[in-house]
Amino acid sequence: MAPVHGTAMDANAAEPILTRLVQQDFVPWYKKKNLRMLYLLLLPTCIGIEMTSGFDSQMINTVQISDYWQLYFKEPQGALMGIISAAYNLGAICALPFVAPLSDTFGRRWSIFIGSWIMVAGSILQAFSTSAAMYVVARFMLGFGIPFCIIAGSSLMGELAYPKERPIMTSLFNALYFVGSLVAAGITFGTQSIKNDWAWRTPSLLQAGPSMFQIVFIFMIPESPRWLISKDRSHEAYQILVKYHAEGDPHSAFIRAEMAQIQGTIQLEMEYSRRSWKEMVGTPGMRKRVIIGSFLGLFTQWSGNTLISYYVSKLLDLIGLTQSETKNKINVGLNAWNLITAVIISLLVRRFPRRVMYMTCTVSLLCCYVGWTVSMQQSLAHGGSTAVTVTILFLFLYSPCYNIGYNALTYTYLVELFPFAQRAKGITIFQFFGRSAGFFTTFVNPIGLDTIKWKWLITYCCWLAFENVFVYFMFPETYGRTLEELAFLFEDRSLADQQTKQVEKSMQYELRDRMVSPVFEDEDFTYSRRQFVHVSSNRYVP
């Protein structure tokens, strides 16, 4: 299937300098000491951010199984149960207007730091709640803090990672959601043996764990080089790129090309950017990005995942599995399976184009939901162990189908889709639509299940059919390019050509200056010069 308009791959165009240099780098990341350390620190500070969301979804899912939680909050049903679950997303929606200004003004790290403290406070309040109202406020606080971390963390990781590993790193960002959900499922399963209110208060308090890691480690990693360049701190940005992308080699041809490309692209972006929300709909290219990002937010929450994440207990009740121990075992198994499939798929994202993965995701989700709907109807109509087993099978099949696109690619695609100047705003728009969709579905799911039982699943089947059509006609291909090469994905081709020429001109000026300097014959630079001649002319020079 050929990519639609806005493709990042043009078979007739020459490979940009930086892409060619990345393709010629065959040294794996684990053999680069500084890059290895950077990725190790990104694990608790950025990649681990989604663990908080995963922990929350499973904690609110599994505490419903606790008799003490049900007793303390007087067995909430319908709208009350919906608002308890949905308060997390409501808090996130209310935070969104403040996220992009904070991230763009003070940097990615400070946004993560502040958001983490808000979530720690929310976890403590949640653990010591004395009423349903206080519990809802605590969950609102948790939701209010998470967008600061997610938007800044996904941007920072994409902007710090070496181009070759960037797709994997940003894909693992979402995959670690299931680490949090698995830990929460395991903790809540273990605390069921506590014969008092601490059976549900303990997991609530431990929800602060991932945020504490971010608070402790966030200032051990560097700030985004792109953010530094946008604040006229190019020297600091250059030092970061030299240390982590060139292992301390200032003569690296790659670093000089990367620095020239980033500076040139950001300069062009700033010339055409008004640095306001109006610019998000000011040009046809930006409007296309906003439409795609908005619908991607809806798709990540309206594809039936919130039904499983928040209400697996109710789903199992419908098919006759009411024992707490059985529910907990299935829930832990589901989360372990989710983590395995998410990580495996994230490690494979460099092998397949984005559109292929998204279309595989939407088609398989539709097939899975149709099969699940039929099995649920048969289970409720006729009973029997076979129908129950098939229904549970579809619960497990759903995970890899969803993870192929909406888990593995979400932040990879968003970071590639939006240029630096609009990246935080673009992910904020995605978060707004995603959180709004999540708020709606978590609120109405228990009402729908209580009212029309298995027929509620038909609404998701209809929506998933629409997703297939939208992804096919609207999603552009972004595979195989650096962030700067994708900056003008929908814009006039001349802007992309202008950016490429600036990089080549910068490299040529530097080569000329080096040729007249007394240190021209330095061994390291001789290698860099040959490498540059190779990549700029696209032919091999021995």
Side-chain angles (χ1 to χ4, degrees):
M1 178 175 58
V4 293
H5 57 276
T7 177
M9 301 294 290
D10 185 349
N12 298 320
E15 293 280 356
I17 290 177
L18 204 61
T19 296
R20 296 200 295 269
L21 281 170
V22 171
Q23 292 170 350
Q24 293 164 16
D25 181 8
F26 299 107
V27 181
W29 65 270
Y30 53 82
K31 292 186 178 180
K32 301 175 181 178
K33 184 180 71 172
N34 292 343
L35 191 62
R36 188 170 65 237
M37 179 58 65
L38 175 65
Y39 290 166
L40 182 64
L41 289 172
L42 283 174
L43 182 61
T45 54
C46 291
I47 304 178
I49 286 171
E50 276 287 8
M51 287 193 295
T52 303
S53 294
F55 196 109
D56 182 83
S57 68
Q58 275 311 301
M59 189 207 65
I60 200 63
N61 192 358
T62 52
V63 292
Q64 297 176 50
I65 303 172
S66 170
D67 294 333
Y68 291 97
W69 188 89
Q70 293 286 352
L71 181 63
Y72 194 89
F73 293 110
K74 301 177 182 179
E75 299 185 355
Q77 298 291 328
L80 178 57
M81 186 65 245
I83 194 63
I84 287 175
S85 298
Y88 186 82
N89 284 315
L90 181 60
I93 293 169
C94 293
L96 290 176
F98 310 102
V99 176
L102 179 67
S103 180
D104 287 339
T105 303
F106 298 102
R108 314 307 195 198
R109 295 184 301 176
W110 275 104
S111 185
I112 294 172
F113 185 75
I114 292 170
S116 297
W117 273 116
I118 295 173
M119 287 189 286
V120 168
S123 298
I124 295 171
L125 186 64
Q126 182 178 242
F128 294 98
S129 293
T130 57
S131 65
M134 188 173 176
Y135 195 78
V136 169
V137 170
R139 293 187 49 69
F140 180 92
M141 286 183 63
L142 283 162
F144 192 90
I146 192 66
F148 291 93
C149 298
I150 289 179
I151 293 171
S154 58
S155 299
L156 179 59
M157 188 162 51
E159 292 162 2
L160 274 177
Y162 188 72
K164 190 163 66 172
E165 287 88 36
R166 176 178 47 78
I168 294 178
M169 298 296 289
T170 48
S171 296
L172 285 173
F173 180 82
N174 236 11
L176 263 68
Y177 172 99
F178 296 114
V179 172
S181 62
L182 178 60
V183 170
I187 289 174
T188 311
F189 179 74
T191 58
Q192 295 297 316
S193 60
I194 301 175
K195 303 303 180 184
N196 54 51
D197 289 337
W198 283 100
W200 61 268
R201 293 187 189 275
T202 300
S204 298
L205 189 61
L206 292 176
Q207 189 169 348
S211 299
M212 290 303 301
F213 277 112
Q214 288 142 34
I215 290 168
V216 171
F217 291 104
I218 187 59
F219 291 108
M220 294 185 185
I221 63 173
E223 184 53 85
S224 163
R226 290 163 176 85
W227 182 83
L228 291 171
I229 289 172
S230 73
K231 298 298 180 181
D232 296 323
R233 295 162 62 180
S234 297
H235 179 71
E236 295 175 55
Y238 183 72
Q239 295 302 318
I240 290 170
L241 292 174
V242 167
K243 179 177 180 179
Y244 294 107
H245 289 190
E247 293 299 299
D249 178 15
H251 301 301
S252 167
F254 174 83
I255 290 304
R256 299 184 184 282
E258 184 178 33
M259 188 68 182
Q261 188 183 67
I262 293 173
Q263 283 184 311
T265 303
I266 290 180
Q267 181 181 353
L268 280 175
E269 286 182 34
M270 294 305 179
E271 288 177 6
Y272 290 92
S273 172
R274 295 190 297 270
R275 305 296 283 174
S276 70
W277 284 98
K278 289 183 180 179
E279 69 180 341
M280 301 305 291
V281 293
T283 63
M286 286 311 303
R287 287 194 290 271
K288 288 180 183 178
R289 290 183 175 93
V290 168
I291 291 171
I292 293 168
S294 301
F295 274 91
L296 183 57
L298 297 178
F299 295 164
T300 57
Q301 298 299 318
W302 278 358
S303 298
N305 50 309
T306 54
L307 195 59
I308 299 174
S309 297
Y310 285 85
Y311 300 109
V312 72
S313 178
K314 282 185 172 292
L315 293 170
L316 296 176
D317 283 338
L318 285 176
I319 59 175
L321 297 177
T322 57
Q323 300 85 0
S324 295
E325 185 176 355
T326 302
K327 289 181 181 179
N328 273 307
K329 287 180 179 178
I330 292 174
N331 191 50
V332 172
L334 272 172
N335 282 284
W337 174 241
N338 285 339
L339 176 60
I340 291 170
T341 57
V343 171
I344 291 174
I345 292 169
S346 295
L347 296 176
L348 297 175
V349 294
R350 290 195 321 187
R351 296 174 178 264
F352 304 101
R354 311 290 186 244
R355 280 174 51 82
V356 170
M357 293 186 70
Y358 270 123
M359 286 306 305
T360 303
C361 170
T362 55
V363 171
S364 60
L365 278 177
L366 178 58
C367 295
C368 183
Y369 241 89
V370 169
W372 184 21
T373 303
V374 173
S375 69
M376 282 283 286
Q377 186 274 330
Q378 290 295 306
S379 177
L380 290 172
H382 306 292
S385 59
T386 300
V388 171
T389 301
V390 172
T391 301
I392 294 174
L393 175 63
F394 277 113
L395 287 176
F396 278 85
L397 284 176
Y398 179 89
S399 173
C401 298
Y402 181 89
N403 291 342
I404 290 171
Y406 296 140
N407 182 276
L409 286 184
T410 295
Y411 289 101
T412 299
Y413 200 61
L414 287 168
V415 169
E416 293 172 345
L417 188 65
F418 288 97
F420 169 81
Q422 295 85 23
R423 187 163 296 139
K425 293 185 181 70
I427 300 177
T428 298
I429 291 171
F430 160 81
Q431 280 280 312
F432 173 78
F433 280 89
R435 296 295 176 178
S436 299
F439 173 79
F440 177 79
T441 54
T442 51
F443 182 78
V444 302
N445 274 335
I447 300 173
L449 289 174
D450 290 342
T451 306
I452 58 176
K453 309 300 181 186
W454 67 270
K455 296 183 182 70
W456 181 241
L457 275 64
I458 296 176
T459 61
Y460 286 108
C461 294
C462 297
W463 179 257
L464 286 166
F466 167 73
E467 288 184 14
N468 277 270
V469 176
F470 188 93
V471 169
Y472 182 83
F473 286 104
M474 291 296 292
F475 275 34
E477 186 58 76
T478 60
Y479 177 74
R481 287 290 187 261
T482 66
L483 297 183
E484 280 64 44
E485 290 158 8
L486 289 167
F488 307 108
L489 180 66
F490 293 123
E491 279 71 30
D492 189 339
R493 178 69 193 177
S494 63
L495 292 176
D497 293 338
Q498 182 181 345
Q499 177 245 45
T500 301
K501 290 177 181 177
Q502 283 187 357
V503 177
E504 292 180 350
K505 184 182 295 185
S506 175
M507 294 292 287
Q508 289 167 357
Y509 283 154
E510 184 169 337
L511 180 63
R512 182 197 63 189
D513 294 341
R514 286 282 187 163
M515 289 179 69
V516 298
S517 72
V519 295
F520 173 71
E521 294 301 331
D522 177 77
E523 182 179 352
D524 290 337
F525 179 71
T526 301
Y527 172 75
S528 298
R529 180 186 63 177
R530 290 175 178 173
Q531 191 176 24
F532 167 68
V533 172
H534 169 41
V535 297
S536 62
S537 63
N538 201 23
R539 63 177 182 270
Y540 178 71
V541 179

PDB file of all heavy atoms in Angstrom, residues 338-353:
ATOM      1  N   ASN A 338       0.134  -8.121  28.400  1.00  0.00           N
ATOM      2  CA  ASN A 338       0.205  -6.783  27.814  1.00  0.00           C
ATOM      3  C   ASN A 338       1.637  -6.265  27.774  1.00  0.00           C
ATOM      4  O   ASN A 338       2.099  -5.706  26.772  1.00  0.00           O
ATOM      5  CB  ASN A 338      -0.648  -5.801  28.631  1.00  0.00           C
ATOM      6  CG  ASN A 338      -2.127  -5.974  28.388  1.00  0.00           C
ATOM      7  OD1 ASN A 338      -2.528  -6.528  27.375  1.00  0.00           O
ATOM      8  ND2 ASN A 338      -2.939  -5.509  29.310  1.00  0.00           N
ATOM      9  N   LEU A 339       2.361  -6.439  28.877  1.00  0.00           N
ATOM     10  CA  LEU A 339       3.739  -5.959  28.949  1.00  0.00           C
ATOM     11  C   LEU A 339       4.627  -6.684  27.951  1.00  0.00           C
ATOM     12  O   LEU A 339       5.427  -6.062  27.243  1.00  0.00           O
ATOM     13  CB  LEU A 339       4.280  -6.151  30.381  1.00  0.00           C
ATOM     14  CG  LEU A 339       5.750  -5.781  30.595  1.00  0.00           C
ATOM     15  CD1 LEU A 339       5.995  -4.315  30.269  1.00  0.00           C
ATOM     16  CD2 LEU A 339       6.166  -6.081  32.029  1.00  0.00           C
ATOM     17  N   ILE A 340       4.495  -7.993  27.873  1.00  0.00           N
ATOM     18  CA  ILE A 340       5.330  -8.786  26.960  1.00  0.00           C
ATOM     19  C   ILE A 340       5.099  -8.353  25.518  1.00  0.00           C
ATOM     20  O   ILE A 340       6.048  -8.089  24.764  1.00  0.00           O
ATOM     21  CB  ILE A 340       5.028 -10.288  27.135  1.00  0.00           C
ATOM     22  CG1 ILE A 340       5.520 -10.769  28.503  1.00  0.00           C
ATOM     23  CG2 ILE A 340       5.702 -11.106  26.025  1.00  0.00           C
ATOM     24  CD1 ILE A 340       5.045 -12.168  28.866  1.00  0.00           C
ATOM     25  N   THR A 341       3.840  -8.279  25.115  1.00  0.00           N
ATOM     26  CA  THR A 341       3.549  -7.914  23.719  1.00  0.00           C
ATOM     27  C   THR A 341       3.951  -6.472  23.413  1.00  0.00           C
ATOM     28  O   THR A 341       4.473  -6.189  22.330  1.00  0.00           O
ATOM     29  CB  THR A 341       2.053  -8.101  23.418  1.00  0.00           C
ATOM     30  OG1 THR A 341       1.267  -7.322  24.341  1.00  0.00           O
ATOM     31  CG2 THR A 341       1.654  -9.566  23.547  1.00  0.00           C
ATOM     32  N   ALA A 342       3.748  -5.558  24.360  1.00  0.00           N
ATOM     33  CA  ALA A 342       4.092  -4.150  24.123  1.00  0.00           C
ATOM     34  C   ALA A 342       5.587  -3.961  23.937  1.00  0.00           C
ATOM     35  O   ALA A 342       6.026  -3.234  23.032  1.00  0.00           O
ATOM     36  CB  ALA A 342       3.590  -3.292  25.284  1.00  0.00           C
ATOM     37  N   VAL A 343       6.389  -4.616  24.766  1.00  0.00           N
ATOM     38  CA  VAL A 343       7.848  -4.470  24.663  1.00  0.00           C
ATOM     39  C   VAL A 343       8.361  -5.091  23.367  1.00  0.00           C
ATOM     40  O   VAL A 343       9.189  -4.502  22.659  1.00  0.00           O
ATOM     41  CB  VAL A 343       8.535  -5.097  25.887  1.00  0.00           C
ATOM     42  CG1 VAL A 343      10.046  -5.148  25.681  1.00  0.00           C
ATOM     43  CG2 VAL A 343       8.211  -4.302  27.149  1.00  0.00           C
ATOM     44  N   ILE A 344       7.882  -6.276  23.039  1.00  0.00           N
ATOM     45  CA  ILE A 344       8.334  -6.946  21.806  1.00  0.00           C
ATOM     46  C   ILE A 344       8.014  -6.088  20.589  1.00  0.00           C
ATOM     47  O   ILE A 344       8.855  -5.881  19.705  1.00  0.00           O
ATOM     48  CB  ILE A 344       7.694  -8.346  21.681  1.00  0.00           C
ATOM     49  CG1 ILE A 344       8.265  -9.286  22.746  1.00  0.00           C
ATOM     50  CG2 ILE A 344       7.936  -8.929  20.285  1.00  0.00           C
ATOM     51  CD1 ILE A 344       7.592 -10.648  22.795  1.00  0.00           C
ATOM     52  N   ILE A 345       6.798  -5.580  20.525  1.00  0.00           N
ATOM     53  CA  ILE A 345       6.398  -4.757  19.373  1.00  0.00           C
ATOM     54  C   ILE A 345       7.202  -3.459  19.330  1.00  0.00           C
ATOM     55  O   ILE A 345       7.605  -3.004  18.249  1.00  0.00           O
ATOM     56  CB  ILE A 345       4.884  -4.468  19.433  1.00  0.00           C
ATOM     57  CG1 ILE A 345       4.103  -5.764  19.207  1.00  0.00           C
ATOM     58  CG2 ILE A 345       4.491  -3.434  18.393  1.00  0.00           C
ATOM     59  CD1 ILE A 345       2.628  -5.654  19.490  1.00  0.00           C
ATOM     60  N   SER A 346       7.480  -2.862  20.484  1.00  0.00           N
ATOM     61  CA  SER A 346       8.274  -1.625  20.522  1.00  0.00           C
ATOM     62  C   SER A 346       9.678  -1.834  19.974  1.00  0.00           C
ATOM     63  O   SER A 346      10.246  -0.927  19.345  1.00  0.00           O
ATOM     64  CB  SER A 346       8.353  -1.112  21.966  1.00  0.00           C
ATOM     65  OG  SER A 346       7.095  -0.730  22.440  1.00  0.00           O
ATOM     66  N   LEU A 347      10.232  -2.999  20.201  1.00  0.00           N
ATOM     67  CA  LEU A 347      11.581  -3.288  19.704  1.00  0.00           C
ATOM     68  C   LEU A 347      11.607  -3.553  18.199  1.00  0.00           C
ATOM     69  O   LEU A 347      12.683  -3.613  17.602  1.00  0.00           O
ATOM     70  CB  LEU A 347      12.156  -4.497  20.455  1.00  0.00           C
ATOM     71  CG  LEU A 347      12.371  -4.302  21.967  1.00  0.00           C
ATOM     72  CD1 LEU A 347      12.841  -5.597  22.612  1.00  0.00           C
ATOM     73  CD2 LEU A 347      13.363  -3.180  22.247  1.00  0.00           C
ATOM     74  N   LEU A 348      10.435  -3.686  17.594  1.00  0.00           N
ATOM     75  CA  LEU A 348      10.366  -3.986  16.162  1.00  0.00           C
ATOM     76  C   LEU A 348       9.943  -2.794  15.318  1.00  0.00           C
ATOM     77  O   LEU A 348       9.796  -2.915  14.105  1.00  0.00           O
ATOM     78  CB  LEU A 348       9.378  -5.142  15.923  1.00  0.00           C
ATOM     79  CG  LEU A 348       9.738  -6.500  16.557  1.00  0.00           C
ATOM     80  CD1 LEU A 348       8.603  -7.500  16.324  1.00  0.00           C
ATOM     81  CD2 LEU A 348      11.041  -7.045  15.988  1.00  0.00           C
ATOM     82  N   VAL A 349       9.727  -1.633  15.942  1.00  0.00           N
ATOM     83  CA  VAL A 349       9.164  -0.499  15.195  1.00  0.00           C
ATOM     84  C   VAL A 349      10.076   0.008  14.088  1.00  0.00           C
ATOM     85  O   VAL A 349       9.594   0.609  13.130  1.00  0.00           O
ATOM     86  CB  VAL A 349       8.803   0.669  16.144  1.00  0.00           C
ATOM     87  CG1 VAL A 349       7.676   0.285  17.071  1.00  0.00           C
ATOM     88  CG2 VAL A 349      10.019   1.143  16.929  1.00  0.00           C
ATOM     89  N   ARG A 350      11.374  -0.225  14.191  1.00  0.00           N
ATOM     90  CA  ARG A 350      12.278   0.260  13.137  1.00  0.00           C
ATOM     91  C   ARG A 350      12.174  -0.567  11.865  1.00  0.00           C
ATOM     92  O   ARG A 350      12.671  -0.157  10.814  1.00  0.00           O
ATOM     93  CB  ARG A 350      13.726   0.243  13.622  1.00  0.00           C
ATOM     94  CG  ARG A 350      14.032   1.274  14.677  1.00  0.00           C
ATOM     95  CD  ARG A 350      15.508   1.472  14.849  1.00  0.00           C
ATOM     96  NE  ARG A 350      16.282   0.242  14.775  1.00  0.00           N
ATOM     97  CZ  ARG A 350      17.583   0.165  15.028  1.00  0.00           C
ATOM     98  NH1 ARG A 350      18.240   1.244  15.377  1.00  0.00           N
ATOM     99  NH2 ARG A 350      18.218  -0.973  14.938  1.00  0.00           N
ATOM    100  N   ARG A 351      11.531  -1.709  11.941  1.00  0.00           N
ATOM    101  CA  ARG A 351      11.499  -2.630  10.801  1.00  0.00           C
ATOM    102  C   ARG A 351      10.345  -2.369   9.831  1.00  0.00           C
ATOM    103  O   ARG A 351      10.386  -2.822   8.690  1.00  0.00           O
ATOM    104  CB  ARG A 351      11.415  -4.084  11.293  1.00  0.00           C
ATOM    105  CG  ARG A 351      12.619  -4.534  12.091  1.00  0.00           C
ATOM    106  CD  ARG A 351      12.390  -5.921  12.659  1.00  0.00           C
ATOM    107  NE  ARG A 351      13.548  -6.401  13.398  1.00  0.00           N
ATOM    108  CZ  ARG A 351      14.501  -7.178  12.895  1.00  0.00           C
ATOM    109  NH1 ARG A 351      14.402  -7.571  11.635  1.00  0.00           N
ATOM    110  NH2 ARG A 351      15.509  -7.561  13.631  1.00  0.00           N
ATOM    111  N   PHE A 352       9.305  -1.658  10.294  1.00  0.00           N
ATOM    112  CA  PHE A 352       8.107  -1.529   9.473  1.00  0.00           C
ATOM    113  C   PHE A 352       7.681  -0.066   9.351  1.00  0.00           C
ATOM    114  O   PHE A 352       7.790   0.701  10.307  1.00  0.00           O
ATOM    115  CB  PHE A 352       6.950  -2.335  10.094  1.00  0.00           C
ATOM    116  CG  PHE A 352       7.263  -3.786  10.306  1.00  0.00           C
ATOM    117  CD1 PHE A 352       7.613  -4.248  11.572  1.00  0.00           C
ATOM    118  CD2 PHE A 352       7.221  -4.681   9.249  1.00  0.00           C
ATOM    119  CE1 PHE A 352       7.916  -5.577  11.786  1.00  0.00           C
ATOM    120  CE2 PHE A 352       7.513  -6.024   9.452  1.00  0.00           C
ATOM    121  CZ  PHE A 352       7.863  -6.474  10.721  1.00  0.00           C
ATOM    122  N   PRO A 353       7.156   0.323   8.184  1.00  0.00           N
ATOM    123  CA  PRO A 353       6.624   1.681   8.026  1.00  0.00           C
ATOM    124  C   PRO A 353       5.467   1.935   8.983  1.00  0.00           C
ATOM    125  O   PRO A 353       4.755   1.009   9.384  1.00  0.00           O
ATOM    126  CB  PRO A 353       6.152   1.702   6.561  1.00  0.00           C
ATOM    127  CG  PRO A 353       6.955   0.635   5.885  1.00  0.00           C
ATOM    128  CD  PRO A 353       7.149  -0.430   6.918  1.00  0.00           C
TER     129      PRO A 353
END
